Short mmCIF file of all heavy atoms in Angstrom, two decimals:
data_model
loop_
_atom_site.label_atom_id
_atom_site.label_comp_id
_atom_site.label_asym_id
_atom_site.label_seq_id
_atom_site.Cartn_x
_atom_site.Cartn_y
_atom_site.Cartn_z
N GLY A 341 21.53 6.76 -16.96
CA GLY A 341 20.33 6.43 -17.72
C GLY A 341 20.18 7.26 -18.97
O GLY A 341 21.10 8.00 -19.36
N ASN A 342 19.03 7.14 -19.59
CA ASN A 342 18.74 7.89 -20.81
C ASN A 342 18.74 9.38 -20.51
O ASN A 342 18.07 9.82 -19.57
CB ASN A 342 17.38 7.43 -21.36
CG ASN A 342 17.07 8.05 -22.71
OD1 ASN A 342 17.06 9.26 -22.85
ND2 ASN A 342 16.80 7.19 -23.69
N ILE A 343 19.45 10.16 -21.31
CA ILE A 343 19.59 11.59 -21.05
C ILE A 343 18.23 12.28 -21.04
O ILE A 343 17.98 13.22 -20.25
CB ILE A 343 20.53 12.26 -22.06
CG1 ILE A 343 20.75 13.74 -21.65
CG2 ILE A 343 20.00 12.14 -23.49
CD1 ILE A 343 21.82 14.42 -22.47
N ASN A 344 17.31 11.83 -21.90
CA ASN A 344 15.99 12.47 -21.96
C ASN A 344 15.21 12.24 -20.67
O ASN A 344 14.54 13.15 -20.16
CB ASN A 344 15.19 11.96 -23.14
CG ASN A 344 15.78 12.39 -24.48
OD1 ASN A 344 16.40 13.47 -24.56
ND2 ASN A 344 15.64 11.59 -25.53
N ASP A 345 15.28 11.02 -20.15
CA ASP A 345 14.59 10.71 -18.89
C ASP A 345 15.18 11.51 -17.72
O ASP A 345 14.44 12.02 -16.88
CB ASP A 345 14.65 9.21 -18.61
CG ASP A 345 13.91 8.39 -19.63
OD1 ASP A 345 12.92 8.91 -20.18
OD2 ASP A 345 14.32 7.25 -19.87
N ILE A 346 16.52 11.58 -17.69
CA ILE A 346 17.19 12.29 -16.61
C ILE A 346 16.85 13.78 -16.65
O ILE A 346 16.51 14.40 -15.63
CB ILE A 346 18.72 12.06 -16.67
CG1 ILE A 346 19.02 10.62 -16.29
CG2 ILE A 346 19.43 13.04 -15.73
CD1 ILE A 346 20.49 10.27 -16.43
N LEU A 347 16.92 14.39 -17.84
CA LEU A 347 16.66 15.83 -17.92
C LEU A 347 15.17 16.15 -17.66
O LEU A 347 14.87 17.20 -17.08
CB LEU A 347 17.06 16.34 -19.31
CG LEU A 347 18.57 16.34 -19.60
CD1 LEU A 347 18.84 16.83 -20.98
CD2 LEU A 347 19.31 17.21 -18.57
N SER A 348 14.28 15.26 -18.07
CA SER A 348 12.85 15.49 -17.81
C SER A 348 12.54 15.44 -16.33
O SER A 348 11.62 16.11 -15.84
CB SER A 348 12.00 14.45 -18.55
OG SER A 348 12.07 14.67 -19.96
N ALA A 349 13.30 14.63 -15.59
CA ALA A 349 13.06 14.47 -14.16
C ALA A 349 13.95 15.37 -13.30
O ALA A 349 13.80 15.40 -12.07
CB ALA A 349 13.30 13.02 -13.75
N GLU A 350 14.84 16.16 -13.94
CA GLU A 350 15.82 16.93 -13.18
C GLU A 350 15.19 17.84 -12.13
O GLU A 350 15.55 17.80 -10.96
CB GLU A 350 16.66 17.79 -14.15
CG GLU A 350 17.65 18.70 -13.45
CD GLU A 350 18.40 19.61 -14.42
OE1 GLU A 350 18.17 19.50 -15.64
OE2 GLU A 350 19.23 20.40 -13.94
N ARG A 351 14.22 18.65 -12.53
CA ARG A 351 13.62 19.60 -11.60
C ARG A 351 12.85 18.90 -10.51
O ARG A 351 12.86 19.31 -9.35
CB ARG A 351 12.76 20.61 -12.35
CG ARG A 351 12.02 21.63 -11.48
CD ARG A 351 12.85 22.22 -10.35
NE ARG A 351 14.11 22.79 -10.75
CZ ARG A 351 15.07 23.14 -9.90
NH1 ARG A 351 14.91 22.91 -8.60
NH2 ARG A 351 16.19 23.65 -10.34
N THR A 352 12.15 17.83 -10.87
CA THR A 352 11.40 17.05 -9.87
C THR A 352 12.34 16.49 -8.83
O THR A 352 12.08 16.56 -7.62
CB THR A 352 10.62 15.92 -10.55
OG1 THR A 352 9.65 16.48 -11.47
CG2 THR A 352 9.88 15.09 -9.53
N ILE A 353 13.45 15.91 -9.28
CA ILE A 353 14.42 15.33 -8.37
C ILE A 353 14.98 16.42 -7.44
O ILE A 353 15.07 16.23 -6.20
CB ILE A 353 15.58 14.65 -9.12
CG1 ILE A 353 15.05 13.39 -9.82
CG2 ILE A 353 16.75 14.35 -8.22
CD1 ILE A 353 16.03 12.78 -10.81
N LEU A 354 15.37 17.56 -8.00
CA LEU A 354 15.95 18.63 -7.19
C LEU A 354 14.92 19.18 -6.20
O LEU A 354 15.24 19.45 -5.04
CB LEU A 354 16.46 19.75 -8.10
CG LEU A 354 17.77 19.43 -8.85
CD1 LEU A 354 18.06 20.49 -9.88
CD2 LEU A 354 18.92 19.34 -7.87
N ASN A 355 13.67 19.35 -6.65
CA ASN A 355 12.64 19.86 -5.77
C ASN A 355 12.46 18.94 -4.55
O ASN A 355 12.34 19.38 -3.42
CB ASN A 355 11.32 20.00 -6.49
CG ASN A 355 11.29 21.22 -7.41
OD1 ASN A 355 12.16 22.06 -7.39
ND2 ASN A 355 10.26 21.32 -8.23
N LEU A 356 12.43 17.64 -4.83
CA LEU A 356 12.22 16.66 -3.74
C LEU A 356 13.38 16.71 -2.75
O LEU A 356 13.18 16.77 -1.53
CB LEU A 356 12.07 15.26 -4.32
CG LEU A 356 10.80 14.96 -5.11
CD1 LEU A 356 10.92 13.64 -5.84
CD2 LEU A 356 9.59 14.96 -4.20
N LEU A 357 14.61 16.68 -3.26
CA LEU A 357 15.77 16.63 -2.38
C LEU A 357 16.01 17.96 -1.65
O LEU A 357 16.33 17.97 -0.44
CB LEU A 357 17.02 16.26 -3.19
CG LEU A 357 17.07 14.85 -3.76
CD1 LEU A 357 18.35 14.65 -4.57
CD2 LEU A 357 16.99 13.81 -2.66
N GLU A 358 15.85 19.06 -2.34
CA GLU A 358 16.10 20.37 -1.72
C GLU A 358 15.07 20.67 -0.64
O GLU A 358 15.42 21.17 0.45
CB GLU A 358 16.09 21.46 -2.80
CG GLU A 358 17.26 21.42 -3.73
CD GLU A 358 17.19 22.45 -4.86
OE1 GLU A 358 16.07 22.93 -5.13
OE2 GLU A 358 18.23 22.78 -5.42
N HIS A 359 13.81 20.39 -0.94
CA HIS A 359 12.72 20.65 0.01
C HIS A 359 12.88 19.74 1.24
O HIS A 359 12.86 20.19 2.37
CB HIS A 359 11.38 20.42 -0.69
CG HIS A 359 10.20 20.75 0.15
ND1 HIS A 359 8.91 20.67 -0.32
CD2 HIS A 359 10.08 21.18 1.43
CE1 HIS A 359 8.07 21.01 0.63
NE2 HIS A 359 8.74 21.32 1.70
N SER A 360 13.00 18.45 0.99
CA SER A 360 13.08 17.48 2.07
C SER A 360 14.31 17.68 2.92
O SER A 360 14.28 17.66 4.16
CB SER A 360 13.04 16.06 1.50
OG SER A 360 12.91 15.10 2.52
N SER A 361 15.46 17.91 2.29
CA SER A 361 16.70 18.12 3.02
C SER A 361 16.66 19.42 3.82
O SER A 361 17.26 19.51 4.90
CB SER A 361 17.90 18.11 2.07
OG SER A 361 18.05 16.85 1.44
N GLY A 362 15.96 20.43 3.31
CA GLY A 362 15.84 21.67 4.05
C GLY A 362 15.10 21.46 5.36
O GLY A 362 15.50 22.00 6.40
N ILE A 363 14.02 20.72 5.33
CA ILE A 363 13.25 20.42 6.53
C ILE A 363 14.08 19.57 7.51
O ILE A 363 14.12 19.84 8.71
CB ILE A 363 11.93 19.70 6.19
CG1 ILE A 363 11.00 20.70 5.43
CG2 ILE A 363 11.25 19.16 7.44
CD1 ILE A 363 9.75 20.02 4.89
N ALA A 364 14.73 18.54 6.97
CA ALA A 364 15.55 17.67 7.83
C ALA A 364 16.69 18.45 8.48
O ALA A 364 17.03 18.21 9.64
CB ALA A 364 16.10 16.51 6.99
N THR A 365 17.26 19.36 7.75
CA THR A 365 18.40 20.16 8.25
C THR A 365 17.97 21.05 9.42
O THR A 365 18.59 21.08 10.48
CB THR A 365 19.02 21.00 7.13
OG1 THR A 365 19.51 20.12 6.10
CG2 THR A 365 20.16 21.87 7.65
N LEU A 366 16.86 21.81 9.22
CA LEU A 366 16.40 22.68 10.30
C LEU A 366 15.93 21.85 11.50
O LEU A 366 16.19 22.21 12.68
CB LEU A 366 15.24 23.54 9.80
CG LEU A 366 14.70 24.57 10.81
CD1 LEU A 366 15.83 25.52 11.30
CD2 LEU A 366 13.56 25.38 10.22
N THR A 367 15.22 20.75 11.23
CA THR A 367 14.79 19.87 12.33
C THR A 367 15.98 19.41 13.16
O THR A 367 15.95 19.43 14.42
CB THR A 367 14.05 18.66 11.79
OG1 THR A 367 12.91 19.10 11.04
CG2 THR A 367 13.60 17.73 12.91
N ASN A 368 17.06 19.03 12.50
CA ASN A 368 18.23 18.54 13.19
C ASN A 368 18.88 19.61 14.04
O ASN A 368 19.43 19.33 15.13
CB ASN A 368 19.23 17.98 12.16
CG ASN A 368 20.36 17.20 12.82
OD1 ASN A 368 21.50 17.62 12.83
ND2 ASN A 368 20.04 16.06 13.38
N ILE A 369 18.83 20.85 13.60
CA ILE A 369 19.36 21.96 14.39
C ILE A 369 18.57 22.09 15.70
O ILE A 369 19.15 22.28 16.77
CB ILE A 369 19.31 23.27 13.59
CG1 ILE A 369 20.31 23.21 12.42
CG2 ILE A 369 19.61 24.48 14.47
CD1 ILE A 369 20.18 24.36 11.44
N TYR A 370 17.24 21.99 15.61
CA TYR A 370 16.40 22.03 16.81
C TYR A 370 16.70 20.82 17.74
O TYR A 370 16.79 21.00 18.96
CB TYR A 370 14.93 22.04 16.41
CG TYR A 370 14.37 23.40 16.12
CD1 TYR A 370 14.64 24.06 14.95
CD2 TYR A 370 13.55 24.04 17.05
CE1 TYR A 370 14.12 25.34 14.69
CE2 TYR A 370 13.02 25.31 16.80
CZ TYR A 370 13.33 25.95 15.62
OH TYR A 370 12.82 27.20 15.34
N VAL A 371 16.83 19.66 17.15
CA VAL A 371 17.09 18.45 17.95
C VAL A 371 18.41 18.61 18.70
O VAL A 371 18.50 18.27 19.90
CB VAL A 371 17.10 17.20 17.06
CG1 VAL A 371 17.66 16.00 17.82
CG2 VAL A 371 15.70 16.90 16.54
N LYS A 372 19.44 19.10 18.03
CA LYS A 372 20.74 19.26 18.67
C LYS A 372 20.68 20.31 19.78
O LYS A 372 21.41 20.21 20.78
CB LYS A 372 21.78 19.66 17.64
CG LYS A 372 22.18 18.48 16.75
CD LYS A 372 23.25 18.88 15.72
CE LYS A 372 23.69 17.65 14.90
NZ LYS A 372 24.70 18.03 13.88
N ALA A 373 19.81 21.30 19.64
CA ALA A 373 19.68 22.32 20.69
C ALA A 373 19.07 21.72 21.97
O ALA A 373 19.22 22.31 23.04
CB ALA A 373 18.82 23.46 20.19
N MET A 374 18.40 20.60 21.85
CA MET A 374 17.74 19.95 22.99
C MET A 374 18.58 18.83 23.59
O MET A 374 18.15 18.19 24.55
CB MET A 374 16.40 19.33 22.55
CG MET A 374 15.40 20.37 22.06
SD MET A 374 13.99 19.63 21.18
CE MET A 374 13.29 18.60 22.45
N GLU A 375 19.76 18.59 23.07
CA GLU A 375 20.62 17.52 23.57
C GLU A 375 20.92 17.69 25.06
O GLU A 375 21.15 18.80 25.52
CB GLU A 375 21.93 17.45 22.78
CG GLU A 375 21.74 16.87 21.37
CD GLU A 375 23.07 16.82 20.62
OE1 GLU A 375 24.06 17.40 21.08
OE2 GLU A 375 23.08 16.20 19.51
N GLY A 376 20.88 16.58 25.76
CA GLY A 376 21.12 16.62 27.21
C GLY A 376 19.84 16.58 28.01
O GLY A 376 19.86 16.37 29.22
N SER A 377 18.71 16.78 27.34
CA SER A 377 17.40 16.66 28.01
C SER A 377 16.75 15.35 27.63
O SER A 377 17.18 14.67 26.68
CB SER A 377 16.48 17.81 27.59
OG SER A 377 16.02 17.63 26.26
N LYS A 378 15.69 14.96 28.32
CA LYS A 378 14.94 13.77 28.00
C LYS A 378 13.75 14.04 27.12
O LYS A 378 12.96 13.19 26.79
CB LYS A 378 14.47 13.07 29.31
CG LYS A 378 15.61 12.56 30.17
CD LYS A 378 15.08 11.89 31.43
CE LYS A 378 16.22 11.37 32.29
NZ LYS A 378 15.72 10.71 33.51
N CYS A 379 13.61 15.31 26.73
CA CYS A 379 12.50 15.77 25.95
C CYS A 379 12.67 15.43 24.47
O CYS A 379 13.80 15.46 23.94
CB CYS A 379 12.39 17.32 26.13
SG CYS A 379 10.91 18.05 25.44
#
Side-chain angles (χ1 to χ4, degrees):
N342 187 303
I343 187 172
N344 291 331
D345 294 330
I346 290 175
L347 291 179
S348 291
E350 176 183 359
R351 176 43 54 192
T352 298
I353 290 170
L354 286 170
N355 285 351
L356 291 169
L357 293 179
E358 290 176 339
H359 185 178
S360 189
S361 296
I363 292 172
T365 299
L366 183 58
T367 300
N368 192 249
I369 292 172
Y370 273 76
V371 169
K372 286 181 176 178
M374 297 167 61
E375 286 180 351
S377 73
K378 295 181 180 180
C379 189

